[in-house]
C-alpha cells in the first residue's frame, strides 16, 4: 500500500528512540460482556506474557446491567491492579467516549484498541508489534480484507454490507488501507491523541476517519491480516440506523478533506 511506504515529513526522534521501554495499553470497552471478559483477559495475558510484552488493560465499563463490573473486579484481584485497571462509568456513553476516557488513564506509550467480545483475538497483538518494530510504523491496523484475513460467523448480508461499506469509502477517500471500518488497531499514543483531537465522527465512520486523517498527517500505517469472529456470547450494540449514518459520514469526510 502506498501509505505504508511513504515516509513522514517530520520525524519525532523521541518516539523512535529506545530511552523509554515500550509499554502497551489495551483499552477494552465493555457493555454486557460478563461471559467474554474472563476469556479475553486470560488470552491477552497468555499471549503477551509469552512474548514478554509489557502491558496493562484498561476496562472501560459502562454500568452494564449483566454485572460485568463485578467480573472485572474479580479479574483485577487475580491478575493484579497494575495489569488490570477499571474505569467505571455511570451509564452507557458510547465507544468514542470510552476510548477518550481510557486514554486519560493510559500509562503506556502505545495504545491498542480492541473489542471485548472475542471478535478480536489477542494472538494478533504480537504480530502487530512485530510489524510496527520492523518498519517503525505509527499505526498498525488489523485487516479482514487481505490474504490471510477473513470474517467468520457473519451471514451473507452482513459480509456484503461490510464489503460495500469499505468499497464506497475507498472510492471516495482513497485511504491506502484495505480495512477501513475495522477497530482492532495499534497506535503510537501521541498519534492517537492527535487523531482523536481532530475527529468529528461516530460509529464505524470514526474508525474510518482515523485512517483518513492519519494519511492527511502523513502517519505511516501497516496492515496485519486478522480473522474476525462474530461474538458467541451477548448481543451486538450496533443499531440499525447505522447504514444511513455511515453513508452520511463518508460524504462529510469526503467534503472535509
Ligand atoms: N464502555 C462501553 N463499551 C461499549 C459500548 N458499546 C459497545 N461497547 C463495547 O465495544 C465493543 C464492540 O461492541 P459490539 O457491540 O461488539 O459492536 P459490533 O462488533 O460492531 O457489533 C464490545 O467490547 C462492547 O462491549 C458503550 O457504550 N460503552
Ligand atoms: C469523535 O467526535 C464525535 C463528534 O464530536 C464524538 O461524538 C465522538 O465521541 C468522538 N470520538 C472519540 C473517540 O473521541
Ligand atoms: C504530507 O506529505 C505531503 C507530500 O510529501 C506534503 O505535501 C504535505 O505537506 C505533508 N503533510 C503534513 C501534514 O506534513
Ligand atoms: Mg462485536
Amino acid at each position: 500500500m502506498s501509505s505504508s511506504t511513504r515516509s513522514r515529513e517530520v520525524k519525532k526522534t523521541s518516539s523512535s528512540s529506545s530511552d523509554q521501554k515500550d509499554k502497551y495499553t489495551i483499552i477494552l470497552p465493555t457493555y454486557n460482556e460478563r461471559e467474554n471478559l474472563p476469556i479475553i483477559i486470560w488470552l491477552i495475558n497468555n499471549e503477551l506474557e509469552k512474548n514478554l510484552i509489557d502491558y496493562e488493560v484498561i476496562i472501560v465499563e459502562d454500568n452494564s446491567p449483566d454485572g460485568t463490573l463485578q467480573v472485572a473486579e474479580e479479574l483485577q484481584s487475580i491478575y493484579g491492579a497494575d495489569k488490570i485497571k477499571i474505569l467505571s462509568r455511570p451509564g452507557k456513553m458510547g465507544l468514542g467516549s470510552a476510548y477518550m476516557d481510557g486514554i486519560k488513564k493510559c500509562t503506556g506509550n502505545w495504545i491498542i484498541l480492541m473489542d471485548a467480545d472475542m471478535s478480536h483475538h489477542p494472538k494478533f497483538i504480537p504480530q502487530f508489534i512485530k510489524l510496527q518494530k520492523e518498519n517503525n510504523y505509527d499505526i498498525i491496523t488489523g485487516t479482514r480484507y487481505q490474504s490471510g484475513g477473513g470474517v467468520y460467523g457473519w451471514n451473507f448480508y452482513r459480509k456484503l454490507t461490510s464489503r460495500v461499506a469499505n468499497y464506497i469509502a475507498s472510492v471516495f477517500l482513497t485511504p491506502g488501507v484495505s480495512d477501513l471500518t475495522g477497530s482492532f488497531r495499534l497506535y503510537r499514543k501521541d498519534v492517537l491523541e492527535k487523531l482523536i483531537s481532530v475527529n468529528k465522527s461516530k460509529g464505524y465512520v470514526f474508525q474510518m476517519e482515523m485512517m483518513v486523517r492519519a494519511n492527511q498527517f502523513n502517519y505511516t500505517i501497516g496492515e496485519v491480516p486478522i480473522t474476525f469472529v462474530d461474538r458467541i456470547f451477548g448481543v451486538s450494540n450496533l443499531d440499525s440506523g447505522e447504514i444511513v449514518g455511515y453513508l452520511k459520514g463518508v460524504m462529510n469526510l469526503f467534503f472535509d478533506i
Side-chain angles (χ1 to χ4, degrees), residues 119-187:
S119 287
H120 298 150
H121 199 297
K123 71 181 176 192
F124 294 112
I125 295 174
Q127 297 179 29
F128 283 20
I129 294 172
K130 183 167 176 283
L131 184 69
Q132 186 287 319
K133 284 191 188 301
E134 281 167 3
N135 300 280
N136 197 26
Y137 286 129
D138 298 307
I139 303 167
I140 299 292
T141 179
T143 176
R144 296 162 289 184
Y145 303 126
Q146 261 186 12
S147 160
V151 175
Y152 296 90
W154 276 2
N155 61 24
F156 174 75
Y157 176 73
R158 186 84 201 266
K159 280 184 183 165
L160 186 70
T161 311
S162 178
R163 277 281 186 176
V164 171
N166 262 285
Y167 178 73
I168 292 172
S170 66
V171 167
F172 283 102
L173 304 168
T174 56
V177 288
S178 59
D179 192 343
L180 280 167
T181 51
S183 54
F184 191 6
R185 291 177 182 155
L186 165 68
Y187 292 89

Side-chain angles (χ1 to χ4, degrees), residues 34-48:
R34 187 185 53 190
E35 288 101 339
N36 292 314
L37 196 56
I39 314 172
I40 193 82
I41 295 290
W42 188 88
L43 286 169
I44 289 172
N45 183 66
N46 182 48
E47 294 294 340
L48 275 59

Side-chain angles (χ1 to χ4, degrees), residues 29-31 33 60 62 92 94-95 115-117 204 231 236-237:
T30 57
Y31 194 76
E33 302 291 2
V60 186
D62 280 358
K92 193 173 191 310
L95 261 182
D115 295 348
D117 61 355
Y204 292 101
R231 63 163 71 243
S236 170
N237 293 287

Side-chain angles (χ1 to χ4, degrees), residues 6-252:
R6 193 194 299 159
S7 66
R8 271 185 302 162
E9 201 96 308
V10 190
K11 273 240 156 65
K12 281 173 258 79
T13 46
S14 65
S15 52
S16 54
S17 71
S18 52
D19 48 1
Q20 189 194 348
K21 201 182 163 294
D22 287 326
K23 179 172 178 178
Y24 297 83
T25 298
I26 299 170
I27 299 181
L28 212 56
T30 57
Y31 194 76
N32 289 340
E33 302 291 2
R34 187 185 53 190
E35 288 101 339
N36 292 314
L37 196 56
I39 314 172
I40 193 82
I41 295 290
W42 188 88
L43 286 169
I44 289 172
N45 183 66
N46 182 48
E47 294 294 340
L48 275 59
E49 296 273 290
K50 198 165 71 188
N51 288 281
L52 306 173
I53 296 163
D54 186 19
Y55 77 96
E56 67 182 357
V57 177
I58 299 176
I59 299 170
V60 186
E61 167 38 39
D62 280 358
N63 199 14
S64 305
D66 78 344
T68 305
L69 180 61
Q70 284 82 329
V71 174
E73 285 166 349
E74 257 175 67
L75 292 166
Q76 188 178 49
S77 71
I78 296 168
Y79 293 90
D82 56 326
K83 283 273 174 271
I84 310 287
K85 295 174 180 170
I86 302 171
L87 187 56
S88 173
R89 309 197 300 173
K92 193 173 191 310
M93 293 193 267
L95 261 182
S97 76
Y99 293 145
M100 289 249 276
D101 287 349
I103 291 171
K104 289 180 205 146
K105 283 207 129 188
C106 143
T107 66
N109 54 337
W110 292 91
I111 296 179
I112 293 160
L113 302 183
M114 67 187 287
D115 295 348
D117 61 355
M118 300 285 295
S119 287
H120 298 150
H121 199 297
K123 71 181 176 192
F124 294 112
I125 295 174
Q127 297 179 29
F128 283 20
I129 294 172
K130 183 167 176 283
L131 184 69
Q132 186 287 319
K133 284 191 188 301
E134 281 167 3
N135 300 280
N136 197 26
Y137 286 129
D138 298 307
I139 303 167
I140 299 292
T141 179
T143 176
R144 296 162 289 184
Y145 303 126
Q146 261 186 12
S147 160
V151 175
Y152 296 90
W154 276 2
N155 61 24
F156 174 75
Y157 176 73
R158 186 84 201 266
K159 280 184 183 165
L160 186 70
T161 311
S162 178
R163 277 281 186 176
V164 171
N166 262 285
Y167 178 73
I168 292 172
S170 66
V171 167
F172 283 102
L173 304 168
T174 56
V177 288
S178 59
D179 192 343
L180 280 167
T181 51
S183 54
F184 191 6
R185 291 177 182 155
L186 165 68
Y187 292 89
R188 222 184 268 284
K189 185 191 179 194
D190 54 329
V191 166
L192 182 59
E193 282 171 335
K194 169 78 187 163
L195 292 176
I196 283 193
S197 73
V198 295
N199 143 68
K200 293 175 186 148
S201 38
K202 292 181 191 175
Y204 292 101
V205 185
F206 166 75
Q207 308 297 354
M208 187 167 72
E209 180 170 4
M210 293 294 102
M211 295 295 100
V212 173
R213 300 275 177 214
N215 269 324
Q216 237 181 3
F217 295 127
N218 295 339
Y219 293 131
T220 54
I221 309 170
E223 296 191 281
V224 170
I226 58 157
T227 45
F228 176 100
V229 183
D230 197 18
R231 63 163 71 243
I232 296 168
F233 295 114
V235 292
S236 170
N237 293 287
L238 163 78
D239 55 66
S240 51
E242 204 88 40
I243 293 175
V244 176
Y246 177 84
L247 291 173
K248 277 190 192 154
V250 174
M251 294 328 285
N252 287 339

